[in-house]
Amino acid sequence: MTLLVAITGWDPAPWLDRFRRLLPDRPVVAVDEPFDPDTIRYAASWKHRPGTLSGLPRLEAIFSLGAGVDHLVGDAGLPDVPVLRVVDQDLTERMSEYVVMHCLMHLRRGWLYDERQRQGLWRDERDQPAARDVRVGIMGLGVLGQDAARKLAVMGFDVAGWSRSPRSLDGIATFAGDEGLRSFLARTDILVVLLPLTPATRGLLNAALFGGLARDGRLGGPVLINAGRGGLQVEADILQALEDGSLKAATLDVFETEPLPAASPLWSHPAVRITPHNAAMSDPDAVAAAVVSQIRRHEAGEPFRHAVDLRTGY
Ligand code: NDP
Ligand code: OXD
């Protein structure tokens, strides 16, 4: 009846603490503590070391502690049990805060005015487009993409979204699949990426894709905001696109290698804003409660929610 917590890269202590408080009637163990494999019924993982979830004969489910599951799908020894991902209002709202904030910073030239303040310069730009003049395109119209799309629309942006299968959202233009990609990119001034990392999406953010973005927008060139996964982007192509004008600026929360190596030219590029993969952090209070509610549902005989399709990888 035990919950096994297998985390690397984050401090496991707050997670163990929350799970123990929420499940006072059963043992909760960290993967590096001694435990009897026969007793483990559930596992909660964030980037667990590959192989550490195998050899658990009574395992019934694996919970990802983040919305993304690429860290799980990459484990060749993953047991054949349902894999459940986080869908949580707290995490969703954090991501939309990040996306709306960065779209507005690019729209309102936030960093230019920071710089001018540091220089003691009282100078404004007379050509200030309104949000309605700017076309935002969101790649990934899932839980996070849909919430961000609605909030950007409330701010007045002209929003569209792109997904694998056709989606319909009030007031949002939608495009799907390879056949919809070209038209979607051609009407996009700010490209917001909220895709999962899968074999189909790896390396998608490359020179060819940047070359398809709108060149006639009010921001003076296309802007990239990637808060999905670093493996979606080809970083050399982002740098080249910033040089040749296929991109005007980029906000990057995720990178091919994390932490971003000190030698990466992205750190010091004047048109690049970097955040340390914290666009939407998993809050232990909110996410542990979501996991425990799934366990309670399952034990009451109801089906799990938010199962990952391991064939598509998300
Ligand atoms: P969802 O599974 O709800 O949505 C994924 C979306 O991507 C869906 O619209 C899906 O299409 C689309 N998609 C997947 N594959 C393709 C493809 N090949 N072509 C076109 N569209 C595709 O995921 P979430 O919205 O919950 O999360 C998205 C990602 O955000 C996570 O996987 C994770 O990588 C990232 N993330 C980053 C965080 C951060 O702090 N930086 C925090 C949390 C998440 P369809 O609708 O047809 O299924
Ligand atoms: C997630 C993340 O997938 O934090 O939730 O990246």
Side-chain angles (χ1 to χ4, degrees):
M1 295 301 195
T2 304
L3 171 68
L4 178 70
V5 178
I7 294 177
T8 68
W10 296 347
D11 178 6
W15 292 95
L16 290 162
D17 173 68
R18 295 325 182 275
F19 280 125
R20 285 179 179 140
R21 271 200 256 154
L22 291 166
L23 293 168
D25 50 337
R26 70 185 74 195
V28 174
V29 292
V31 73
D32 46 10
E33 290 170 345
F35 64 87
D36 175 357
D38 268 343
T39 62
I40 304 296
R41 197 162 158 193
Y42 307 104
S45 159
W46 181 251
K47 298 187 180 171
H48 70 266
R49 277 183 291 279
T52 48
L53 302 187
S54 54
L56 307 173
R58 300 178 64 200
L59 190 69
E60 289 177 32
I62 299 171
F63 298 96
S64 169
L65 295 178
V69 292
D70 44 300
H71 66 107
L72 285 166
V73 173
D75 179 357
L78 203 66
D80 184 17
V81 297
V83 174
L84 296 322
R85 67 192 201 90
V86 169
V87 173
D88 175 64
Q89 194 59 21
D90 177 87
L91 190 148
T92 303
E93 286 170 3
R94 288 167 191 257
M95 181 59 86
S96 292
E97 287 169 9
Y98 182 91
V99 170
V100 172
M101 172 179 79
H102 282 274
C103 285
L104 287 171
M105 287 294 273
H106 288 288
L107 172 71
R108 298 303 300 260
R109 301 183 171 92
W111 298 287
L112 176 71
Y113 290 114
D114 274 355
E115 187 57 31
R116 289 196 180 157
Q117 178 181 347
R118 276 193 292 276
Q119 295 166 344
L121 258 185
W122 181 274
R123 197 169 92 215
D124 72 355
E125 297 293 318
R126 290 284 104 187
D127 178 29
Q128 175 54 63
R132 66 176 172 280
D133 303 323
V134 173
R135 298 161 295 183
V136 180
I138 304 183
M139 297 187 95
L141 272 187
V143 174
L144 302 183
Q146 290 191 25
D147 193 71
R150 290 196 187 96
K151 288 173 180 164
L152 287 166
V154 168
M155 292 308 304
F157 286 102
D158 179 0
V159 185
W162 179 75
S163 51
R164 197 166 61 96
S165 49
R167 301 264 157 197
S168 162
L169 264 100
D170 272 357
I172 311 286
T174 53
F175 300 80
D178 290 345
E179 52 296 352
L181 184 58
R182 206 183 158 97
S183 315
F184 165 78
L185 295 173
R187 54 84 67 215
T188 294
D189 301 317
I190 302 182
L191 183 68
V192 173
V193 184
L194 293 173
L195 286 169
L197 180 61
T198 70
T201 60
R202 184 175 287 282
L204 190 61
L205 306 178
N206 57 30
L209 182 138
F210 302 142
L213 290 165
R215 298 298 284 270
D216 58 351
R218 291 291 307 278
L219 298 181
V223 171
L224 168 68
I225 299 177
N226 183 12
R229 280 290 181 267
L232 298 166
Q233 72 202 13
V234 180
E235 286 166 15
D237 287 9
I238 294 178
L239 287 161
Q240 179 55 38
L242 290 166
E243 289 313 303
D244 68 25
S246 319
L247 286 177
K248 180 182 176 228
T251 289
L252 304 174
D253 184 55
V254 286
F255 300 90
E256 289 168 2
T257 303
E258 294 180 3
L260 181 63
S264 169
L266 290 168
W267 278 114
S268 55
H269 197 293
V272 177
R273 303 292 135 194
I274 287 174
T275 50
H277 194 149
N278 69 348
M281 288 191 295
S282 290
D283 173 59
D285 281 318
V287 173
V291 169
V292 169
S293 114
Q294 287 260 52
I295 291 176
R296 302 262 186 242
R297 276 176 66 88
H298 172 65
E299 294 184 354
E302 292 175 52
F304 283 124
R305 300 168 70 197
H306 317 307
V308 173
D309 179 346
L310 292 173
R311 287 162 310 173
T312 55
Y314 73 99

